[in-house]
Amino acid sequence: MKSQNERLLEYLKQHGKITQFEAIGELGILRLASRISELKKSGENIFSSMVKVTNRYGETCHVAEYRLIDA
């Protein structure tokens, strides 16, 4: 069984980026920022930026988007 960090890193390598919404829906990860922090501490080069998304009520929100940067 893979750890959350392993699943997250694999997802980032395949898709290049992830938001909290995707982490919950695709990977079952509720504390994405914590997993990102752990991956950064282990040496992964991950960049974050704020992006606009639309919530289920049609409202625009800003969320963090994390990208794996090729070294």
Side-chain angles (χ1 to χ4, degrees):
M1 179 184 267
K2 292 183 181 180
S3 70
Q4 287 187 354
N5 286 352
E6 290 170 330
R7 289 196 316 262
L8 175 55
L9 187 56
E10 185 176 285
Y11 185 93
L12 285 169
K13 287 180 179 178
Q14 289 177 0
H15 301 277
K17 61 182 179 158
I18 194 167
T19 66
Q20 180 65 53
F21 296 129
E22 294 162 338
I24 292 170
E26 299 291 325
L27 303 174
I29 295 174
L30 300 179
R31 299 195 58 212
L32 178 60
S34 295
R35 303 297 78 81
I36 292 291
S37 176
E38 291 168 356
L39 288 176
K40 284 181 174 182
K41 285 180 184 177
S42 73
E44 297 299 333
N45 192 10
I46 299 173
F47 173 78
S48 64
S49 62
M50 298 302 287
V51 295
K52 289 182 184 180
V53 296
T54 303
N55 68 17
R56 69 177 103 180
Y57 303 107
E59 302 163 332
T60 300
C61 304
H62 291 84
V63 298
E65 178 180 81
Y66 300 95
R67 291 182 174 270
L68 184 62
I69 306 299
D70 294 330

